[in-house]
Amino acid sequence: MDRRRPPRRGSGAAHRHRRLLRGIGEREAESLLAAADTPTALFCFSDEMAMGALAAARHRGRRCPDDVSLVGFDDIRFARYLDPALTTVNQPMEDLGRTAVALLLDILRGGQDAPRSITLPHRLAVRGSTGPVRG
């Protein structure tokens, strides 16, 4: 009988990756917000990075969106529950997966020689983290 405990939720590689992205977002936003010519908006590579950027803005006493607007990318399930709710770019995840599998099958069947670029439609989910600068 295996007496090992199942891994705790949030203890795996995906959790470490999300934590790393938040740390990078916080560090880079801290650097940008410490500059003499501070930005009024930050567009982050991912929602996790935006979460870190939000922490950096708060640490510097900046209000979001009054002093700095913040936009993420991915529209993770927690983005809408942040305070303020995160404006983000929503990716069509099911379509991404479906398209990737179709391309892979095409390559495996010998029908695709050169890589090609496919752009799927994205949607901007405007929420509370963006707005006109009031400060």
Side-chain angles (χ1 to χ4, degrees), residues 21-22 43-51 71-76 86 88:
L21 288 175
R22 280 192 306 270
F43 184 90
C44 299
F45 179 77
S46 70
D47 289 347
E48 286 91 351
M49 285 185 170
M51 292 166 73
V71 179
F73 195 93
D74 291 329
D75 198 13
I76 62 173
L86 183 64
T88 182

Side-chain angles (χ1 to χ4, degrees), residues 50-62:
M51 292 166 73
L54 180 60
R58 286 183 175 149
H59 179 257
R60 293 210 145 266
R62 301 269 172 31

Side-chain angles (χ1 to χ4, degrees), residues 21-38:
L21 288 175
R22 280 192 306 270
I24 291 170
E26 186 169 2
R27 183 180 68 237
E28 295 304 317
E30 182 72 36
S31 173
L32 289 168
L33 295 171
D37 188 20
T38 59

Side-chain angles (χ1 to χ4, degrees), residues 4-15:
R4 290 180 294 165
R5 287 189 213 166
R8 286 184 300 131
R9 186 174 177 86
S11 63
H15 176 71

